[in-house]
Amino acid sequence: MKFGGTSVGDADCIERVAALVTAQVTEAEVAVVVSAMAGVTDMLIRAATEASRGDREHWKGARQELARRHREVADRLLYAGEQAQVLPRLAEEIGNFENLCSGFSLVREITPRAMDALSSLGEKMSALLVAAALRSKGCAAEAVDATELIVTDNHFGNASPYFDETAVKTRDRLAPLRRRHLIPVITGFRAATREGLCTTLGRGGSDYSGTLIGGALEADEVWIWTDVDGVMTADPRLVPSAHIVPEVSYREAAELSYFGAKVLHPKTIQPVLKRQIPVWIKNTFNPTCPGTRIGAARVDAPPGVKALTTIRAADLITVSGRDRLGFSELAARVFESLSREDIPTLMVTQSSADNVLCFAVHDADLLHVREALEKAFELEILHDYIAPPEVLPQVAIVVLVGENMKGTPGISGRAFGALGKRGINIIAIAQGSSELSISLAVASGEVKEAVTAIHEEFEL
Ligand code: ADP
Ligand code: ASP
Ligand code: MG
């Protein structure tokens, strides 16, 4: 069971979590993975950033807030004996926070490696509290730092796990706890390199921690507890009439999360694929709702669009090889430069007669993309051999996802029609031959109207 930030957001929430876990322990053996309390990771990152700019006050405020929120949970939920154990350990983490921020403010910089150690402190603190809350309910539990379980490369900030090493390490470390019937309460988000340096799995990465641990333990199921009833037909904040989808295939879930459905971290599905472990998305605040089951595709699933997702802040980049660089060479060099910098592309289109390549990237990556392309084509641009890349900003991408869109004619036509009727211009289109998704780029100001129109058109 993985619990997200809102699910462990305060004392009431953590009490609810403890009840959900204890309700299962007679039915099954449970391992728990937790995120930091809601808002804590953002707070840690902001404090560190301000400190590195030389602000020596901001993080002191954050320190108070951090101490207050965790202390309040301890006061409300833990027996005196538990408090005596947990409070010094929380104080130790807050001391680490202070030391790191003080260091950043002195040297006026943060390395990605130091940022990982700092930004994942919230998970260490929430794991301590959730384990203690379980013990206070009479349920034997122990907090475990995932740096002892998940082994990754040293790509700080967005590390990639080594699956086999992680499986061995996780099983070895958790075996003694299992023998003693102790529930491990594991920090999400955090991991470590082979040398033991703390890394993180990217923002929202606790979902990934959940399936990594589930995969390593060969769990029967992974339950991801969050603050919505399941995977919805669209982001409920954009389309209020969105509703829950009872079943989603692994490929659909991967596609939805890659294209921005925040309910799942983009890499969540990878670790459970090999053993086809089902993943359930469930609502901590409405636990009787069964939620969404993510599993193998069903042959009898109805045809058509299953859900929509959006990336709201993207840019379209156009690179033209003119009559100087052939399309294949142009594309090869563009993608090589992006892959070297680890920059994902969101959609790609080509118009090969005049050697034009157009692709979309996350707006947060734009600066990086410009630098990568300017470096890759430095000489050509200097000698006006090809034009500098053109950027169209403020673009949003709406993605229609459905395993069974394949072989169903007319889906794109209906989507275009729905947008056309409302006067929404489609800037670019991409659909792969797998027909698992269709991506449409529109102006970002029109994204809400665009998703709502398509949601209505397909009666989702
Ligand atoms: P957690 O802290 O539990 O990991 P997140 O905030 O990361 O929760 O993810 C849950 C949120 O994802 C929901 O509150 C919802 O606003 C958002 N979301 C975006 N797209 C979807 C979707 N298609 N289905 C469900 N939720 C979505
Ligand atoms: N706490 C981390 C974050 O906010 C990881 C997570 O919540 O999944 O990104
Ligand atoms: Mg999340």
Side-chain angles (χ1 to χ4, degrees):
M1 292 183 172
K2 175 262 172 177
F3 293 92
T6 339
S7 304
V8 294
D10 59 23
D12 287 342
C13 293
I14 292 184
E15 192 161 35
R16 204 171 291 124
V17 164
L20 288 169
V21 174
T22 43
Q24 286 303 317
V25 290
T26 49
E27 312 278 323
E29 200 187 341
V30 181
V32 175
V33 173
V34 289
S35 293
M37 293 174 75
V40 164
T41 313
D42 284 340
M43 189 163 83
L44 293 169
I45 293 174
R46 206 175 321 118
T49 311
E50 293 298 329
S52 73
R53 292 184 183 139
D55 182 338
R56 295 186 55 83
E57 291 309 311
H58 179 95
W59 55 268
K60 291 181 184 154
R63 180 209 173 280
Q64 305 290 69
E65 180 65 5
L66 210 56
R68 187 192 61 76
R69 283 187 64 188
H70 291 86
R71 169 101 210 192
E72 194 174 291
V73 178
D75 284 348
R76 286 261 325 270
L77 299 186
L78 309 186
Y79 293 129
E82 279 300 338
Q83 287 197 11
Q85 255 201 54
V86 168
L87 289 177
R89 294 181 68 186
L90 291 175
E92 199 181 311
E93 298 308 336
I94 289 172
N96 288 336
F97 167 78
E98 277 189 291
N99 289 338
L100 283 164
C101 284
S102 162
F104 299 153
S105 72
L106 284 174
V107 297
R108 299 228 175 178
E109 77 159 332
I110 325 175
T111 61
R113 177 172 146 184
M115 183 58 116
D116 275 357
L118 180 119
S119 65
S120 62
L121 284 180
E123 270 73 7
K124 282 187 88 174
M125 298 173 75
S126 61
L128 286 170
L129 283 174
V130 171
L134 281 166
R135 290 193 297 267
S136 286
K137 267 185 153 323
C139 191
E142 189 174 302
V144 177
D145 189 344
T147 54
E148 295 179 58
L149 312 180
I150 301 175
V151 190
T152 67
D153 63 12
N154 62 359
H155 192 140
F156 296 100
N158 192 19
S160 296
Y162 299 116
F163 289 94
D164 293 342
E165 285 170 54
T166 297
V168 172
K169 222 170 158 184
T170 300
R171 287 199 288 261
D172 285 354
R173 171 67 177 85
L174 298 184
L177 274 74
R178 295 178 79 173
R179 278 196 295 273
R180 287 157 56 211
H181 302 287
L182 283 173
I183 297 177
V185 179
I186 302 159
T187 58
F189 192 41
R190 286 164 68 83
T193 63
R194 286 176 178 143
E195 298 74 37
L197 298 171
C198 177
T199 54
T200 60
L201 302 173
R203 291 307 306 272
S206 298
D207 300 328
Y208 196 21
S209 311
T211 50
L212 279 165
I213 307 285
L217 295 176
E218 298 178 8
D220 295 314
E221 295 190 339
V222 175
W223 293 7
I224 295 183
W225 290 95
T226 182
D227 58 1
V228 277
D229 281 342
V231 175
M232 320 273 283
T233 48
D235 184 340
R237 290 165 299 184
L238 267 185
V239 184
S241 62
H243 65 92
I244 170 184
V245 186
E247 282 199 1
V248 167
S249 74
Y250 289 122
R251 294 206 311 161
E252 287 167 341
E255 205 79 356
L256 283 168
S257 56
Y258 184 82
F259 288 114
K262 192 188 170 215
V263 66
L264 277 184
H265 180 275
K267 295 184 195 157
T268 310
I269 297 306
Q270 273 173 22
V272 291
L273 269 183
K274 196 163 116 196
R275 294 190 185 276
Q276 302 263 300
I277 301 172
V279 177
W280 286 84
I281 311 295
K282 285 171 168 289
N283 190 348
T284 320
F285 304 93
N286 184 19
T288 50
C289 174
T292 296
R293 182 183 190 275
I294 303 172
R298 286 169 68 118
V299 268
D300 57 350
V305 183
K306 196 171 257 181
L308 309 175
T309 180
T310 50
I311 293 179
R312 284 192 255 178
D315 303 280
L316 272 183
I317 320 278
T318 305
V319 195
S320 168
R322 295 192 180 146
D323 50 1
R324 306 267 176 56
L325 277 184
F327 186 81
S328 306
E329 190 190 346
L330 180 77
R333 284 176 56 189
V334 166
F335 292 122
E336 201 202 341
S337 70
L338 296 180
S339 110
R340 217 181 295 123
E341 299 294 323
D342 231 353
I343 301 167
T345 49
L346 305 170
M347 66 192 287
V348 180
T349 65
Q350 101 175 75
S351 121
S352 49
D354 46 355
N355 296 330
V356 174
L357 172 69
C358 173
F359 59 94
V361 293
H362 288 287
D363 185 55
D365 290 330
L366 182 62
L367 208 69
H368 241 107
V369 175
R370 275 187 199 272
E371 283 168 5
L373 293 178
E374 278 161 13
K375 202 157 101 196
F377 295 100
E378 196 179 357
L379 282 179
E380 283 87 351
I381 295 171
L382 185 72
H383 296 294
D384 199 30
Y385 202 66
I386 66 165
E390 279 171 38
V391 177
L392 180 67
Q394 292 177 1
V395 168
I397 301 172
V398 180
V399 188
L400 289 67
V401 176
E403 187 102 47
N404 287 350
M405 295 197 305
K406 196 174 172 73
T408 313
I411 290 181
S412 305
R414 282 174 68 189
F416 297 162
L419 298 187
K421 253 187 271 164
R422 285 169 177 78
I424 299 171
N425 181 40
I426 302 172
I427 306 169
I429 307 160
Q431 178 189 339
S433 59
S434 70
E435 290 186 53
L436 188 63
S437 66
I438 300 170
S439 306
L440 310 170
V442 298
S444 56
E446 292 181 321
V447 65
K448 189 175 162 70
E449 204 185 344
V451 221
T452 309
I454 299 174
H455 199 263
E456 266 171 30
E457 172 64 35
F458 291 97
E459 292 171 7
L460 296 180

